[in-house]
Amino acid sequence: MIATVVGTGLIGGSLALSLKKLGIAEQIIGVESNSENADIAVELGLVEETTTLEKAMERSTLIVLAIPVNAIPMVAVKALNRVTDRQVVIDMGSTKGELCEVISQHPRRSRFVATHPMWGTEYSGPRAAVDDGFSGRTVVICEKERSAPDALQMVEDMYRALEMPIKYMEAEEHDVHAAYVSHISHITSFALALTVLEKELEEDHILDLAGGGFESTVRLAKSSPAMWTPIFMQNKYNVLDVLREHIHQLQVLRRMIEKDDVAGLTKAMQKANEIRRIIH
Amino acid sequence: MIATVVGTGLIGGSLALSLKKLGIAEQIIGVESNSENADIAVELGLVEETTTLEKAMERSTLIVLAIPVNAIPMVAVKALNRVTDRQVVIDMGSTKGELCEVISQHPRRSRFVATHPMWGTEYSGPRAAVDDGFSGRTVVICEKERSAPDALQMVEDMYRALEMPIKYMEAEEHDVHAAYVSHISHITSFALALTVLEKELEEDHILDLAGGGFESTVRLAKSSPAMWTPIFMQNKYNVLDVLREHIHQLQVLRRMIEKDDVAGLTKAMQKANEIRRIIH
């Protein structure tokens, strides 16, 4: 089949490479608003050509939206406005509530499948694309009963070929869990980078001493603001809620250190260690 | 030479393996207060035998303290009480202020070299030991002018053989930088694990959705409370200081999300991105 990838950055570019590697798509058309990135995507072979959404849709079976989450709902509506019964539109965004609400009354809603592959790196743009990122990661499909059976089937087949276990959730439910497990990690990492850049004025020391666990904790702070600002804004209430809890936990730990509460601190860390049960 | 490693866990065990692999020590004697771990250390070949500090010192050229930082100062004093001019005692702890103060007036202070290799993992105990962890990581040597030239030389030679770049700092200076770059990362990670364990009651979802950056950010929350509680307590004022700043940064980000301050949020993340310059 021919697939169109709207947004030829980290996620869209990686999907394009994977679809071609696995022989799922013979040809990938790119739609990319940044002309420099469009050229790079063609140069790197992520896509064969780039064009407009309208022209790309004339020739594509699958249309994939891999753009920042604030741009997805409107492009989703535009794609649904011209989708046929033989075409499927999907998104790969990190929030689902607003998107699913915006398209909920669209007469062609059933041609859309809302998906969130739980993979990414701290890098962005076409040069960040890799052909084996998704394998083994979970993909969440939201509101599956709102998608036509054949559309859902095509998307499930694609993700299974990518070796991704599929979980089904409602859109609101997805956004709550994404806030807890993914979005909060990025905020802590951004805040940690800001803290260290603020406090550690001798930058050489950051580099020299970073062996002590700093690198893995701060890695996500390299992530793209263009991608993450819209995610935090679209998932605002869930993010605010989990962030309140996180600040509270830090304040409790800080108070225990201040009061020399060794027993309390040990107990809290032992509780935190329970994450071992879940993340091996 | 014969070396004694006091504490045959992650750090001491890894050093023992490295010293043998590189042919720096022909024999390693272990001193280990936990008899179960002592047996495992012998079984795994980290050390040839275990015995008391007193007996081990009778036969060793190098005595390495690789125990929790609250235990280091007293054992350092005991080792210095019986050290000869042909022996060297070092520690590998993550804080230096209290240790250097405690031993500062000891008549044999010059036989001690205070070191902090900037490496570790979230695992602990003898089974966590690996033979190639230290290579390429920085080691900090504190108060080098307080160590005898031959003692310093022996330790520098050892760390160079381990391929570790050496940085020199005062003890108080080390503790400030260690708080900023290493200790705060561990606290954020512990707090993140507590946050998610508190908020995410459906544990299956943590595991399924953890691809979104959560794993690397929460990894350090698996770290040993027995090792980290004493570090936070010994470096209390620096840790409280950097933790105050970190909570402040999180509150600022939270306020921006609450107020829909997209421009402010973007700017803050762009600033956080500057960590790319330092940590590649």
Side-chain angles (χ1 to χ4, degrees), chain B residues 22 24 155-164:
Chain B
L22 295 167
I24 298 171
V155 175
E156 289 172 338
D157 289 348
M158 177 185 85
Y159 281 123
R160 286 201 189 102
L162 288 167
E163 299 181 317
M164 301 182 74

Side-chain angles (χ1 to χ4, degrees), chain B residues 106-122:
Chain B
H106 197 288
R108 313 291 291 156
R109 168 66 182 88
S110 68
R111 303 313 302 165
F112 197 95
V113 184
T115 85
H116 179 197
M118 302 303 299
W119 174 79
T121 74
E122 65 273 34

Side-chain angles (χ1 to χ4, degrees), chain A residues 177 200 222 241 276, chain B residues 177 199-200 222 241 276:
Chain A
H177 295 305
E200 180 57 279
K222 302 176 193 170
D241 180 44
R276 285 181 195 152
Chain B
H177 296 304
K199 296 295 288 183
E200 181 56 280
K222 301 177 193 170
D241 181 42
R276 285 181 194 153

Side-chain angles (χ1 to χ4, degrees), chain B residues 239-268:
Chain B
V239 166
L240 288 176
D241 181 42
V242 68
L243 203 39
R244 184 192 302 112
E245 177 65 30
H246 184 55
I247 291 169
H248 171 70
Q249 293 289 351
L250 281 166
Q251 282 165 334
V252 170
L253 291 177
R254 188 175 189 282
R255 185 72 57 90
M256 289 194 272
I257 294 171
E258 199 167 37
K259 304 264 182 209
D260 299 312
D261 181 2
V262 171
L265 206 52
T266 303
K267 207 172 147 192

Side-chain angles (χ1 to χ4, degrees), chain A residues 137-138 177 181 199-200 203 208 211 214 216 219 221-223 233 236 241 258 260 273 276-277, chain B residues 137-138 177 181 199-200 203 208 211 214 216 219 221-223 233 236 241 258 260 273 276-277:
Chain A
R137 302 308 183 120
T138 297
H177 295 305
V181 178
K199 296 296 287 184
E200 180 57 279
E203 291 192 358
D208 292 336
F214 181 62
S216 70
R219 181 176 67 81
K222 302 176 193 170
S223 302
M233 296 318 305
K236 178 171 167 175
D241 180 44
E258 199 167 38
D260 299 311
N273 281 170
R276 285 181 195 152
R277 275 193 291 116
Chain B
R137 304 305 185 123
T138 297
H177 296 304
V181 178
K199 296 295 288 183
E200 181 56 280
E203 292 193 357
D208 292 335
F214 182 64
S216 70
R219 181 176 67 82
K222 301 177 193 170
S223 301
M233 296 318 305
K236 178 172 168 175
D241 181 42
E258 199 167 37
D260 299 312
N273 281 170
R276 285 181 194 153
R277 276 192 291 116

